[in-house]
Amino acid sequence: MATVATPLQYGDPPRLGAYVVQARLQALATGFVYLAQDAGGRAVSIALLTRGAALDAAARERFLTAIRQAGPARGVRGWVARARGRGPAAAPQIIAIDDGLAPWVAVPYTPGGVGAEWFLETVLVSGTLIGETHGPDFVPYWLGDRAPAIPLPPPPAPPATETRRAVLVAMSVLVALLTLTGAIAWLLLGRGDELPPPSRPLPPTMFVPTPPPLPSPSDTLKPSPSPSPGDSGSASPGPSLPGAPGS
């Protein structure tokens, strides 16, 4: 039956592995079928379990078993698959698979042909392996959780570790720096020991008082000559004493 692609809805994964999800092809009770495209432009059909089915270990195992049965049929399971028309001849070719906690499988997209929904048909248990169905079918407890099972993001990359060569180079640089520092310290300390001793200080200046100079005999003051009577005209008259003649 031909499927009609519908736009993606809230909760649909934008990418699954290396494929860019473009549209919904089918929304089943056990999972979703998406139309996706790889980096080379090839269209693929991807089947992804619902969150409820992915959380149920038995349902997840049935989905993975259907994927494994798409390979060469071997053993009892291969015989049962061939008897029910679910052998390798009926399964589409698998391109990629993720068997983690949110498994999905990708097959080539063929309009009107068998797509990835082939692997979702065995997720629900119905009937028995041999014979007709007896008794009522049961409804799984997880059937109400029909949100897409979003795969967990890849774990972060481990912290970068240095190689043995990088460690040896770092140790060599550290030893060289320590050696250079020791050499500089030794030069500074050794130069300080070889400095010449400081010169002796000059003796303090001594001030000794000297006696005052003595006058020489030639420098003795001589009495000035007294004026004579004839020189009275030229001399200035001295002051007259009281009671003296001529006063």
Side-chain angles (χ1 to χ4, degrees):
M1 183 180 68
T3 56
V4 179
T6 58
L8 297 177
Q9 299 182 14
Y10 178 78
D12 290 331
R15 296 183 63 93
L16 288 173
Y19 302 97
V20 179
V21 180
Q22 296 179 330
R24 276 189 181 187
L25 292 178
Q26 294 186 41
L28 305 176
T30 56
F32 297 87
V33 182
Y34 295 103
L35 175 64
Q37 190 176 26
D38 61 5
R42 179 176 56 174
V44 296
S45 173
I46 299 180
L48 174 67
L49 289 178
T50 61
R51 185 168 55 190
L55 292 176
D56 184 72
R60 186 173 64 250
E61 182 61 27
R62 288 191 291 270
F63 179 68
L64 294 176
T65 300
I67 296 174
R68 298 187 192 103
Q69 288 178 352
R74 292 174 297 181
V76 177
R77 289 188 177 182
W79 178 83
V80 174
R82 288 195 301 268
R84 299 179 61 184
R86 302 194 56 80
Q93 178 188 1
I94 296 177
I95 300 177
I97 178 178
D98 184 355
D99 56 356
L101 296 179
W104 54 266
V105 59
V107 301
Y109 173 69
T110 304
V114 179
E117 68 276 359
W118 186 89
F119 300 97
L120 296 174
E121 297 177 1
T122 57
V123 177
L124 282 177
V125 177
S126 61
T128 59
L129 294 177
I130 301 176
E132 298 293 335
T133 302
H134 299 281
D137 292 336
F138 68 93
V139 177
Y141 69 93
W142 47 262
L143 200 60
D145 190 355
R146 298 193 178 186
I150 304 299
L152 296 177
T161 56
E162 299 294 341
T163 60
R164 181 181 179 87
R165 180 179 179 182
V167 173
L168 293 178
V169 170
M171 293 181 61
S172 302
V173 173
L174 180 60
V175 171
L177 290 177
L178 293 176
T179 304
L180 181 61
T181 304
I184 294 175
W186 181 81
L187 290 176
L188 292 177
L189 295 177
R191 180 173 297 180
D193 295 341
E194 296 177 359
L195 291 177
S199 59
R200 298 179 60 184
L202 296 176
T205 304
M206 302 297 293
F207 294 96
V208 179
T210 57
L214 297 177
S216 61
S218 60
D219 294 336
T220 305
L221 295 178
K222 297 179 179 181
S224 59
S226 60
S228 61
D231 296 334
S232 60
S234 59
S236 59
S240 59
L241 296 175
S247 57

